[in-house]
Amino acid sequence: MGLDDIRSRVAAAATKAGRAPEAIRLIAVSKKQPEERVRAVIEAGHVSFGENRVQEAAERWEALDPGGALDLHLVGPLQTNKARQAMGLFGTIHSVDRLKLAQTIARLAEETGACPDLFVQVNTGEEDQKAGVRPADADAFVAECRGLGLPLVGLMCLPPVDEEASLHFALLAKIAERNELPRLSMGMSGDFEVAIALGATDIRVGSAIFGSRPV
Ligand SMILES: *Cc1c(COP(=O)(O)O)cnc(C)c1O
């Protein structure tokens, strides 16, 4: 199965980089995958899963994980009007990217007394169509989130498809280091080994685990 293969590649990449394999969280990105493939990965004992749409994720995981025992990650963009639902479902949100969203999450965290772990998404390629704060704005945005009392754990990026991912991973690592953020959410099916070499702590792997997404 894809999962075993990816687990051993993660361990090999970690060892090669002089890192402990347990320091890398493998998030199985299950968006749009048929339910039987997702069930097989749950049955194999995997616990961390990623989704990119709140509504789709809610429908799927309320059925697959009614007790909320699994470790669910939102890796896609979050609209403020879905923040409450997302905060109830996900243990980690990787896509905090604007002040209004940060303020909404802070208000809901105060109201409910709970908040997921948060990553700030950085648009390292400065692409217009992509979410995330610009690299030049990242330090100020991290400070604003901290000022709101948010539990920031790291930074996330999604490099441009046609560029060398390593440059983007290195940039993200540099911004995280100077902001004293311990986690780096970077690396997908095609480049997670490069991401591990550059310090990724959270890799988001979909098709290499489950097979290609049906269109
Ligand atoms: C879909 C998705 C992934 C996984 O992509 P694969 O290429 O299938 O590994 C990772 N991160 C985000 C934000 C995604 O939307």
Side-chain angles (χ1 to χ4, degrees):
M1 177 164 72
L3 180 64
D4 291 335
D5 176 45
I6 299 305
R7 279 180 173 161
S8 38
R9 284 171 59 189
V10 168
T15 305
K16 192 171 164 206
R19 304 180 58 203
E22 311 79 63
I24 294 145
R25 179 158 53 195
L26 172 61
I27 300 167
V29 179
S30 48
K31 66 178 185 206
K32 299 195 177 73
Q33 293 287 351
E35 185 172 315
E36 66 272 15
R37 293 185 188 170
V38 183
R39 279 192 192 279
V41 172
I42 297 172
E43 276 156 24
H46 198 71
V47 294
S48 296
F49 292 86
E51 292 282 347
N52 71 339
R53 286 170 172 273
V54 178
Q55 193 55 45
E56 276 175 32
E59 283 159 23
R60 157 170 283 169
W61 292 99
E62 276 155 20
L64 281 177
D65 183 33
L70 297 174
D71 171 40
L72 302 184
H73 295 252
L74 179 65
V75 301
L78 178 57
Q79 295 169 266
T80 48
N81 64 0
K82 299 259 171 64
R84 183 185 294 275
Q85 190 182 16
M87 289 169 72
L89 182 65
F90 296 102
T92 308
I93 294 174
H94 292 243
S95 51
V96 179
D97 63 354
R98 58 200 191 279
L99 187 57
K100 181 150 182 278
L101 177 60
Q103 288 168 330
T104 303
I105 293 173
R107 179 172 50 74
L108 291 166
E110 191 165 358
E111 182 191 313
T112 61
C115 191
D117 286 343
L118 303 175
F119 284 82
V120 165
Q121 183 172 350
V122 182
N123 186 357
T124 56
E126 308 199 32
E127 296 171 279
D128 289 334
Q129 78 280 15
K130 224 167 244 175
V133 299
R134 303 265 154 165
D137 300 330
D139 296 356
F141 185 65
V142 165
E144 279 179 318
C145 289
R146 285 181 164 147
L148 290 166
L150 293 179
L152 280 196
V153 297
L155 302 178
M156 178 272 226
C157 78
L158 201 57
V161 285
D162 55 353
E163 286 182 26
E164 188 58 63
S166 60
L167 301 175
H168 296 270
F169 297 157
L171 173 61
L172 196 73
K174 199 169 110 192
I175 300 170
E177 188 181 9
R178 70 172 181 247
N179 284 282
E180 296 178 10
L181 286 164
R183 303 194 72 87
L184 288 169
S185 169
M186 58 190 199
M188 318 200 324
S189 290
D191 54 22
F192 66 86
E193 284 145 321
V194 179
I196 289 170
L198 290 166
T201 59
D202 294 69
I203 56 171
R204 312 178 310 266
V205 180
S207 46
I209 291 176
F210 295 103
S212 54
R213 284 177 285 279
V215 281

